[in-house]
Amino acid sequence: MSAPLFSKVLVANRGEIAVRVMRTLREMGIATVAVYSDADRNSLHVRMADEAERIGPPPSADSYLRMDRILDAARKHGAAAIHPGYGFLSENAEFAAACEDAGVVFIGPSSQSIRAMGSKTAARQVAIAAGTPVVPGTEGPVDAAQARAFGRQAGYPILLKAVAGGGGKGMRRVDREADLESALRDASSEALRAFRNGDMYAEKLIERPRHIEIQVLGDRHGHLIHLGERECSIQRRHQKVIEECPSPLVDLHTEMRHAMGEAAVRAAAAAGYYNAGTVEFLADAQRNFYFLEMNTRLQVEHPVTELVTGLDLVRLQVEIAAGRPLRLKQEDVRWRGWAMECRIYAEDPYNNFLPYPGKITRLTRPLGPGVRIDGAIYPGWTVPVDYDPLLAKLAVWAGHRDDAADRMIRALREYDVGGIRTNIGFFRQILEDAEFRAARLHTGFIEEFFERRTPPQTSPDMAVAAALAAALHARSRFRAPETTRADSTSNWLRAGRSGLLR
Amino acid sequence: MSAPLFSKVLVANRGEIAVRVMRTLREMGIATVAVYSDADRNSLHVRMADEAERIGPPPSADSYLRMDRILDAARKHGAAAIHPGYGFLSENAEFAAACEDAGVVFIGPSSQSIRAMGSKTAARQVAIAAGTPVVPGTEGPVDAAQARAFGRQAGYPILLKAVAGGGGKGMRRVDREADLESALRDASSEALRAFRNGDMYAEKLIERPRHIEIQVLGDRHGHLIHLGERECSIQRRHQKVIEECPSPLVDLHTEMRHAMGEAAVRAAAAAGYYNAGTVEFLADAQRNFYFLEMNTRLQVEHPVTELVTGLDLVRLQVEIAAGRPLRLKQEDVRWRGWAMECRIYAEDPYNNFLPYPGKITRLTRPLGPGVRIDGAIYPGWTVPVDYDPLLAKLAVWAGHRDDAADRMIRALREYDVGGIRTNIGFFRQILEDAEFRAARLHTGFIEEFFERRTPPQTSPDMAVAAALAAALHARSRFRAPETTRADSTSNWLRAGRSGLLR
Amino acid sequence: MKLHLTMDGAPGQIEILSPGPACCFRLNGEQREAAVETPEPGVYSVLLNGRVYDARIEELADGARGVAVVIDGFRFVVEVRDPRRMAAAAAQTGRQGAATVAAPMPGKVVRVLVALGDQVEAGQGIAVVEAMKMQNEMKAAHAGRVASLRVKEGDTVSAGQTLATIE
Amino acid sequence: MKLHLTMDGAPGQIEILSPGPACCFRLNGEQREAAVETPEPGVYSVLLNGRVYDARIEELADGARGVAVVIDGFRFVVEVRDPRRMAAAAAQTGRQGAATVAAPMPGKVVRVLVALGDQVEAGQGIAVVEAMKMQNEMKAAHAGRVASLRVKEGDTVSAGQTLATIE
């Protein structure tokens, strides 16, 4: 009940993260200012805020990416600080600098740190300088002789990548030296066509890698610690969809937590980092880990760290931004139990995970022990087509991984979203999968899962109940029923049909 | 994913506790059987269960208290065990024995333990025998001379109570010896009129007592531990409405936890207790504590213990009932952070907490970090008039008491239940109260709060928004608007009227 | 359209000049603007003076006039009348001379303690209503004669429903 | 009333003998009983053979016939027809000779890649639909002529909506 650290904070974001940030701000006694595009006037982050300001039409470039309008809104409403959430302007060094110039506190790292960690190549140099292991690679462009030398030194398989590349184009896996020359030629000409630049570099290929990341936290007085790891190996289209804390691999080999944590803190310190950030690593089966990149903002999956450490990362971010020293010491950080998070998207997992926005006609959420939901949807709301299809994050906590997985299945079964398609039923199958339960995770898990998946079976009586409900529903819509003659019947009810688990 | 401890369990209860128990059963891979009265066919515990059986008309005596029908349902559905929840048959030794006889496992203590701790006087004897402190009293009936002797020995104030009494009738507080004789005469004649029995006994009066209770847990192999305390001093009509773990008093004097825990375990051991149970104490300002009674079942407020210890009490209950040894040792129990629970009732706190059942027309629940809800309501459901008006339990967890209270206020502000009255807005005022924040708690807190309470003020613009919303709503209902002449206006908008915080 | 308002008992007047989303209105003579949306049926999201108000409309139980508007947990009871209709409405209003004894909560009538025509004292019990295991005795506010008795034992009553009138 | 059913593509027949709460019905010739309630609009709580099924009805997007019934996360697509109405319905159904190219998701048409009358190859792109930052190219299933083109750049489309037909 003491005076708040800031009287008012503007949240320069939308959706679940804006709502999540506002919840902690409200708990801290800080007034909240929402900004919104025309597509979001009815969105929950606006309805929940104390104050709100329109910043433009639906396209992000005309609204949530408009630094000038967001700073104008902050001035107009008298906000002392801005929380950028994730995405949008959160990792934009120019925006952080513009806030600093305007005398508005940017709740995040300095613009210099964002710049230092902003590009993958710059961050890699920082990591190398800090002694943090990186995936072995040639750095610069290579010819065939140089590639061959690298292959002999690093060992096969290796990966050839276009210097100007992205999206998998101009990329080739090479399993033995005999294939190297032709692969390099093909990849280079593909890169030339795609990017007008045929330069290639080579990298050690990490097979079936796990994605494990370290949460770091530092104050503006040079005190920097880590909050342990998260494992985010379950991905679709290179985007995380299930995250855990701890990592099952690290949990078995806790010395990894110390080693990765130290490496992450070293890399962050080298960039003069403060506030919350995440250092991402790839880990291989031999438990080697390699620096991937640093995210200089709050992560989507931060709740699993909060559930296990008992800390409120947004509260800590605000305290740090207000110049408070971080009282938490590395040895004070305690990890208890197991947390998992599923990202609930408006998408159709059985149709290549295509987005599926629309109007939410029904909504029942799981409750009870160990369940946390961060969402921004409500019944009757129409999911806009203009932004990311993340509807909510469902996180659970339990004492052990198996119990957490069972709790997640229970929660997914209680979760009902109507009117649109979601990946809720798909998650349930992943959580029931024996490979997942055995924690044999890697970033290609979902592709392999689709190959081995057997659709779940329903009971015959469930199909009977569905038929009866549909008939009663139709009956309530028909008028003036009359008896008519019947024709042939089938045996679909006896078969135990496989309904799709949506 | 191993074989469940029971294949199927019947939950002999309704409302939030039935739903809460089923959630853990489902997580354990155990099929659930609901029982229901005619008033509950559409209740959530039925809709959520795997199987369900009707057990009679709405009155509890004809349904939830019918042992025969519940055991018939267990047999019919093949349930291997019965979880009784709280209330109804949960502390009925005869029912526990009937389950044992029928070969159905009763998920709770033995019928002998229930009997030993069942009546307050029997339990008091068990406690005294186990060396657990009890409120000093005369035990048997007293005449004036004996009462005078007791007063001198125990010290004033003392309380005179009718042996056959209850509900405050035939009860007198006596502050000095001079008042004793007339008080005894008056109380005795009141008791004679009310209960046809004028016998009185005397007890030391604990002023402004705190209600602090210890959760105990034991297996069927003699291993008995405690899970720390809960403070439940905030009561209305002698019923707890806000509970905390830890107790703010014990948190300042942690030696109390050890002493009360030891005393509780001793009392429970004396009754041969196993499974979950709660030993209730009164504590005074000098931190003396006195055994009050033992509840031989899961407590309504068990979630605050779960949030702080990280344990799932229902899971432990089921494991113990299945004969599993409790692997948890006393020194393994760890308390982390602070939990609070508010019991959301369908009642009107501004009209003497009278129940207010009815149809729920709107329902928005709080989400986000540190919030847990155990409820059994949904929009469109009609709260039956036949049972307890508990709608849901809202629990929060945070690192510290102040943060937990701020989180609770945030959650209460997000909680919207329409169509009926609830105590949600009332809780918000309690949570904002300086006495509550200073943790000066006692069982008479709410009565005193009503005396000092100043109704919260709203902003003038909030009243304007309310007026506008009402006018737009009315306009959408009127047809064919026409302009008419205006008359006098008032200044209610300038005043910052005190809307009732409902 | 000018409308008459009563908010928590105090009178006022509002005129909606433009209904929204860019709403313009005159309240007690002062012209103001607000951005108003209805994200859900019966819910008004009002942006007024840069501030957000999420106003939820709740119909009141039978008998009561107006609606409750709930904003951030605060509850305003607002009655809106179209003055053109007031004459008609007034004609429909019955006599209000007798004092009524009303149920404070929904429940069941478990006992009726008086008979029609009985003379009762102030504070005398009229009927006992039970809900959720709690019994509540409804009492006469002042002395008089039981002029009407509208319930019998076993009846279900809703909040605010008249049980009896005392003259 | 006997009704024709199609569930996930397979035909059947149901006759509701008594609608509920004590429901009696004949399904594919077999008579059965169930206790049915509707706790919420469009939600059926079915007690069948001692087991509980909470069935939620979901109307399908435009174009699709029938409803989806969701039970415990499982989704059944069920079409119910009153045979007396089938003749009329059949008369309304248009020709189905041409192959249609449909939007797989709701979104906006960002590019149309063909013109009316164009000859297209199997796999050739017809239009690009974007939703939530993801672009998806709709392709012709087989070679043919663009017989109709029903959208233009900037149009908003719903899932299943026909973009073009190929003959």
Side-chain angles (χ1 to χ4, degrees):
Chain A
M1 311 272 264
S2 50
L5 295 175
F6 298 106
S7 61
K8 202 181 283 180
V9 168
L10 182 145
V11 180
N13 216 303
R14 63 175 301 283
E16 71 83 18
I17 192 60
V19 170
R20 187 264 167 273
V21 169
M22 285 179 194
R23 284 188 165 121
T24 286
L25 292 173
R26 182 160 283 179
E27 291 172 13
M28 297 179 80
I30 298 171
T32 55
V33 184
V35 291
Y36 63 94
S37 77
D38 292 333
D40 275 329
R41 169 63 183 89
N42 279 337
S43 291
L44 203 59
H45 77 285
V46 178
R47 293 180 57 193
M48 273 189 59
D50 295 309
E51 306 180 18
E53 195 66 33
R54 176 186 177 275
I55 49 165
S60 303
D62 301 329
S63 52
Y64 297 105
L65 294 173
R66 284 289 298 261
M67 303 184 200
D68 53 343
R69 291 191 181 157
I70 289 169
L71 281 168
D72 281 349
R75 270 185 291 262
K76 179 175 166 189
H77 287 263
I82 292 180
H83 195 298
Y86 54 70
F88 295 129
L89 295 171
S90 63
E91 294 187 275
N92 186 316
E94 202 192 324
F95 182 61
C99 289
E100 288 162 23
D101 292 346
V104 177
V105 175
F106 178 78
I107 302 178
S110 68
S111 55
Q112 290 85 347
S113 297
I114 298 177
R115 236 169 243 125
M117 288 302 195
S119 87
K120 284 203 186 194
T121 46
R124 188 177 159 100
Q125 293 313 319
V126 172
I128 291 170
T132 303
V134 298
V135 177
T138 61
E139 304 301 321
V142 288
D143 58 22
Q146 289 166 320
R148 197 177 304 118
F150 174 76
R152 284 184 188 172
Q153 174 217 323
Y156 287 86
I158 64 169
L159 203 59
L160 301 176
K161 283 170 138 178
V163 167
K169 280 202 170 115
M171 197 187 281
R172 284 290 184 290
R173 172 193 173 120
V174 184
D175 285 295
R176 52 179 187 271
E177 196 176 286
D179 301 340
L180 181 61
E181 212 159 330
S182 68
L184 185 65
R185 201 169 42 234
D186 290 357
S188 177
S189 74
E190 188 176 304
L192 191 65
R193 280 197 308 274
F195 314 116
R196 293 160 193 242
N197 179 346
D199 286 353
M200 303 295 298
Y201 68 100
E203 218 177 69
K204 172 82 182 145
L205 186 138
I206 314 297
E207 291 205 271
R208 298 167 75 87
R210 304 176 84 115
H211 177 115
I212 303 179
E213 61 189 27
I214 297 285
Q215 177 71 53
V216 299
L217 191 68
D219 64 19
R220 300 179 80 145
H221 311 283
H223 176 40
L224 194 62
I225 61 172
H226 72 86
L227 305 181
E229 81 288 354
R230 294 182 285 263
E231 175 150 4
C232 318
S233 300
I234 308 294
Q235 308 186 348
R236 61 114 180 81
R237 290 205 319 257
H238 305 291
Q239 195 169 38
K240 307 160 186 168
V241 291
I242 300 181
E243 300 98 350
E244 305 184 47
C245 177
S247 155
L249 182 68
V250 176
D251 188 57
L252 285 177
H253 308 280
T254 48
E255 71 282 0
M256 280 183 81
R257 179 174 301 142
H258 181 71
M260 295 177 79
E262 289 271 288
V265 166
R266 270 200 313 275
Y273 203 87
Y274 55 74
N275 217 295
T278 294
V279 180
E280 297 189 333
F281 295 96
L282 287 184
D284 65 19
Q286 289 71 44
R287 304 199 295 281
N288 301 303
F289 57 89
Y290 307 98
F291 175 89
L292 203 58
E293 64 174 312
M294 181 165 189
N295 293 320
T296 58
R297 37 102 180 149
L298 192 66
Q299 210 79 328
V300 178
E301 59 273 21
H302 73 276
V304 293
T305 295
E306 294 187 324
L307 286 166
V308 170
T309 62
L311 301 168
D312 181 336
L313 290 186
V314 174
R315 177 179 283 265
L316 290 163
Q317 283 194 297
V318 173
E319 289 175 355
I320 288 166
R324 284 260 192 104
L326 179 65
R327 280 168 301 180
L328 194 71
K329 290 182 181 50
Q330 187 63 58
E331 58 269 27
D332 297 335
V333 181
R334 293 271 181 283
W335 295 272
R336 178 158 95 174
W338 208 283
M340 281 186 191
E341 176 184 277
C342 288
R343 298 193 190 181
I344 312 297
Y345 283 106
E347 67 183 19
D348 187 348
Y350 308 105
N351 186 11
N352 203 24
F353 298 102
L354 279 180
Y356 207 102
K359 184 169 177 171
I360 294 167
T361 55
R362 297 189 321 274
L363 180 60
T364 304
R365 295 188 180 96
L367 301 172
V371 173
R372 166 176 171 180
I373 296 176
D374 290 280
I377 62 175
Y378 58 85
W381 184 62
T382 298
V383 184
V385 299
D386 310 280
Y387 312 108
D388 187 81
L390 181 62
L391 298 174
K393 300 177 314 203
L394 169 61
V396 300
W397 183 94
H400 307 279
R401 185 172 191 265
D402 254 338
D403 296 347
D406 286 334
R407 182 159 280 174
M408 182 63 90
I409 292 168
R410 186 271 290 173
L412 290 165
R413 289 179 65 181
E414 290 182 29
Y415 216 144
D416 174 60
V417 182
I420 58 175
R421 297 285 166 86
T422 74
N423 50 0
I424 291 172
F426 176 70
F427 280 133
R428 188 164 144 197
Q429 296 171 63
I430 297 267
L431 269 288
E432 283 168 352
D433 181 64
E435 288 291 300
F436 181 85
R437 298 302 282 245
R440 287 191 282 270
L441 312 181
H442 57 96
T443 55
F445 186 94
I446 285 186
E447 284 81 350
E448 289 187 10
F449 172 76
F450 266 109
E451 284 162 26
R452 69 171 171 275
R453 165 179 181 262
T454 52
Q457 294 294 304
T458 62
S459 70
D461 268 6
M462 187 186 279
V464 172
L468 177 60
L472 288 169
H473 189 70
R475 196 176 181 278
S476 72
R477 309 228 148 172
F478 296 157
R479 303 138 182 245
E482 254 184 84
T483 319
T484 53
R485 229 193 96 255
D487 63 5
S488 77
T489 64
S490 87
N491 66 345
W492 49 257
L493 294 167
R494 277 164 239 143
R497 287 186 70 74
S498 60
L500 279 168
L501 198 52
R502 295 285 185 176
Chain B
M1 312 270 268
S2 49
L5 295 175
F6 299 106
S7 61
K8 202 180 281 181
V9 169
L10 183 146
V11 180
N13 215 300
R14 62 175 303 283
E16 71 84 17
I17 192 60
V19 170
R20 189 262 167 273
V21 169
M22 285 180 195
R23 285 190 164 119
T24 285
L25 292 174
R26 182 159 282 180
E27 291 173 13
M28 297 178 81
I30 298 171
T32 55
V33 184
V35 292
Y36 63 95
S37 78
D38 291 334
D40 274 330
R41 169 63 183 89
N42 279 336
S43 292
L44 202 59
H45 77 285
V46 179
R47 294 180 56 193
M48 272 189 59
D50 295 308
E51 306 180 17
E53 195 66 32
R54 175 186 178 274
I55 49 166
S60 304
D62 301 329
S63 51
Y64 297 105
L65 294 173
R66 283 290 297 262
M67 303 184 202
D68 53 343
R69 292 192 181 158
I70 289 168
L71 280 168
D72 281 350
R75 269 185 292 261
K76 179 175 167 190
H77 287 263
I82 292 181
H83 195 298
Y86 53 70
F88 294 129
L89 295 171
S90 63
E91 295 187 274
N92 187 313
E94 201 191 324
F95 181 61
C99 289
E100 289 161 24
D101 293 347
V104 177
V105 175
F106 178 79
I107 301 178
S110 67
S111 55
Q112 290 84 346
S113 296
I114 299 177
R115 236 170 243 124
M117 288 302 195
S119 88
K120 282 204 187 197
T121 45
R124 187 177 160 100
Q125 294 313 319
V126 172
I128 291 170
T132 302
V134 298
V135 177
T138 61
E139 304 301 322
V142 290
D143 59 21
Q146 290 165 317
R148 199 176 303 116
F150 174 76
R152 283 184 189 172
Q153 174 218 324
Y156 286 88
I158 64 169
L159 202 60
L160 302 176
K161 283 169 137 178
V163 167
K169 279 199 169 119
M171 196 186 283
R172 285 288 186 291
R173 173 193 172 118
V174 184
D175 285 295
R176 51 178 189 273
E177 194 175 287
D179 301 340
L180 182 61
E181 212 159 331
S182 68
L184 185 65
R185 198 167 47 234
D186 290 357
S188 177
S189 74
E190 188 177 301
L192 191 63
R193 280 197 308 275
F195 314 114
R196 293 162 191 244
N197 178 347
D199 287 353
M200 302 296 296
Y201 69 100
E203 216 175 71
K204 172 81 181 146
L205 186 137
I206 314 295
E207 290 206 89
R208 298 167 76 86
R210 304 175 85 114
H211 177 115
I212 302 178
E213 61 189 28
I214 297 285
Q215 176 72 52
V216 299
L217 191 68
D219 64 19
R220 301 180 79 146
H221 311 283
H223 175 41
L224 195 61
I225 63 172
H226 73 86
L227 304 182
E229 81 287 354
R230 293 181 286 261
E231 175 149 3
C232 318
S233 300
I234 307 295
Q235 307 185 348
R236 62 116 179 77
R237 291 204 317 257
H238 304 291
Q239 194 168 40
K240 307 159 187 171
V241 291
I242 301 181
E243 301 98 348
E244 304 183 50
C245 175
S247 155
L249 182 67
V250 175
D251 187 57
L252 285 177
H253 309 279
T254 47
E255 71 281 3
M256 282 183 80
R257 179 173 303 142
H258 181 71
M260 295 176 80
E262 289 270 288
V265 166
R266 272 200 310 276
Y273 202 86
Y274 56 73
N275 217 295
T278 294
V279 180
E280 298 189 331
F281 295 96
L282 288 184
D284 65 18
Q286 289 70 46
R287 304 200 296 280
N288 301 304
F289 57 89
Y290 307 99
F291 175 88
L292 204 60
E293 64 174 312
M294 181 164 188
N295 293 320
T296 58
R297 37 109 179 142
L298 191 67
Q299 208 80 328
V300 177
E301 60 272 21
H302 74 276
V304 293
T305 296
E306 294 187 324
L307 286 167
V308 170
T309 62
L311 301 169
D312 181 336
L313 291 185
V314 173
R315 178 180 281 265
L316 290 163
Q317 283 194 298
V318 173
E319 289 175 354
I320 288 165
R324 283 261 190 104
L326 179 65
R327 279 168 302 180
L328 195 71
K329 292 184 177 50
Q330 187 63 58
E331 59 269 27
D332 298 333
V333 181
R334 292 273 181 282
W335 295 272
R336 178 159 96 172
W338 209 283
M340 283 186 189
E341 177 184 276
C342 288
R343 298 192 191 182
I344 312 298
Y345 282 106
E347 66 183 21
D348 187 348
Y350 309 105
N351 187 10
N352 204 24
F353 299 101
L354 278 180
Y356 206 100
K359 183 170 178 171
I360 294 167
T361 55
R362 295 189 322 272
L363 180 58
T364 305
R365 297 187 179 98
L367 301 173
V371 172
R372 168 176 170 179
I373 296 176
D374 290 280
I377 64 176
Y378 59 84
W381 184 61
T382 298
V383 185
V385 300
D386 310 279
Y387 313 106
D388 186 82
L390 181 62
L391 298 175
K393 301 179 311 201
L394 169 61
V396 299
W397 182 94
H400 307 279
R401 185 172 192 265
D402 254 339
D403 296 347
D406 286 335
R407 181 158 280 174
M408 183 64 90
I409 292 168
R410 187 270 290 174
L412 290 165
R413 288 179 66 182
E414 289 183 28
Y415 216 143
D416 174 60
V417 182
I420 59 175
R421 297 285 167 88
T422 73
N423 51 1
I424 291 172
F426 178 71
F427 280 133
R428 188 165 144 196
Q429 295 171 63
I430 297 266
L431 269 288
E432 283 168 351
D433 180 65
E435 289 290 301
F436 181 85
R437 298 301 282 245
R440 287 191 283 270
L441 311 181
H442 57 96
T443 57
F445 186 94
I446 285 186
E447 284 82 350
E448 290 187 9
F449 171 76
F450 266 110
E451 284 161 24
R452 68 170 173 273
R453 166 180 180 265
T454 52
Q457 294 294 303
T458 61
S459 70
D461 267 6
M462 188 187 279
V464 172
L468 177 60
L472 289 170
H473 189 70
R475 196 174 180 278
S476 71
R477 310 228 148 172
F478 296 158
R479 303 140 182 246
E482 254 185 82
T483 318
T484 53
R485 230 192 94 255
D487 64 6
S488 76
T489 65
S490 86
N491 65 346
W492 50 257
L493 294 169
R494 277 161 242 145
R497 288 186 69 75
S498 60
L500 280 168
L501 198 52
R502 293 285 184 178
Chain C
M1 152 161 78
K2 279 182 186 160
L3 298 170
H4 291 192
L5 284 175
T6 311
M7 179 177 281
D8 295 342
Q13 194 187 61
I14 190 167
E15 184 177 4
I16 306 293
L17 304 169
S18 152
C23 177
C24 184
F25 62 104
R26 188 173 285 125
L27 182 65
N28 295 347
E30 187 189 353
Q31 187 163 325
R32 303 194 63 169
E33 283 170 14
V36 182
E37 294 279 341
T38 51
E40 302 177 60
V43 179
Y44 294 80
S45 172
V46 179
L47 244 79
L48 181 72
N49 227 351
R51 295 188 66 87
V52 181
Y53 302 94
D54 212 45
R56 294 153 198 271
I57 306 288
E58 184 167 325
E59 307 293 337
L60 295 177
D62 33 36
R65 299 203 291 187
V67 295
V69 183
V70 180
I71 301 179
D72 189 23
F74 290 91
R75 186 182 173 89
F76 300 85
V77 174
V78 189
E79 196 187 336
V80 181
R81 292 174 316 270
D82 182 346
R84 292 174 301 112
R85 303 170 167 232
M86 288 176 71
Q92 284 166 19
T93 308
R95 92 205 141 96
Q96 286 290 333
T100 62
V101 179
M105 59 183 182
K108 273 181 194 161
V109 177
V110 293
R111 266 191 308 284
V112 176
L113 305 167
V114 294
L116 191 67
D118 278 8
Q119 201 65 31
V120 295
E121 311 269 301
Q124 186 175 334
I126 302 297
V128 179
V129 176
E130 180 180 290
M132 295 167 158
K133 299 189 220 160
M134 271 206 56
Q135 294 200 348
N136 200 42
E137 193 175 291
M138 305 300 118
K139 293 169 177 156
H142 46 70
R145 197 182 54 84
V146 178
S148 74
L149 194 56
R150 312 214 180 153
V151 291
K152 60 181 191 305
E153 273 179 36
D155 280 5
T156 300
V157 293
S158 52
Q161 183 175 334
T162 299
L163 306 175
T165 54
I166 312 292
E167 278 183 348
Chain D
M1 155 161 74
K2 279 183 188 160
L3 299 169
H4 291 193
L5 284 176
T6 312
M7 180 178 280
D8 295 342
Q13 195 187 62
I14 191 167
E15 184 178 5
I16 305 294
L17 304 168
S18 152
C23 177
C24 185
F25 61 104
R26 189 172 287 125
L27 182 64
N28 296 346
E30 188 190 353
Q31 186 163 326
R32 304 195 62 169
E33 284 172 10
V36 182
E37 295 279 340
T38 50
E40 302 176 60
V43 179
Y44 294 79
S45 172
V46 179
L47 243 80
L48 181 72
N49 225 352
R51 296 187 65 88
V52 181
Y53 301 94
D54 212 47
R56 294 154 198 271
I57 306 287
E58 185 169 325
E59 307 294 337
L60 295 177
D62 33 35
R65 299 203 292 188
V67 295
V69 184
V70 180
I71 301 179
D72 190 21
F74 289 90
R75 185 183 175 89
F76 301 85
V77 174
V78 189
E79 197 187 335
V80 182
R81 291 173 317 269
D82 183 345
R84 293 174 302 110
R85 304 172 167 232
M86 286 175 73
Q92 284 167 19
T93 307
R95 94 205 138 98
Q96 287 286 331
T100 62
V101 178
M105 59 182 184
K108 272 181 195 162
V109 177
V110 292
R111 266 191 308 285
V112 175
L113 305 168
V114 293
L116 192 66
D118 278 8
Q119 201 65 31
V120 295
E121 311 269 301
Q124 186 176 334
I126 302 297
V128 179
V129 176
E130 180 181 289
M132 295 167 156
K133 299 190 220 158
M134 270 205 56
Q135 295 198 347
N136 203 42
E137 193 174 292
M138 305 301 119
K139 291 166 178 157
H142 46 70
R145 199 183 53 85
V146 179
S148 73
L149 194 58
R150 311 213 179 152
V151 292
K152 59 179 191 305
E153 273 182 35
D155 280 4
T156 300
V157 293
S158 53
Q161 185 175 332
T162 299
L163 306 176
T165 54
I166 312 291
E167 277 181 352

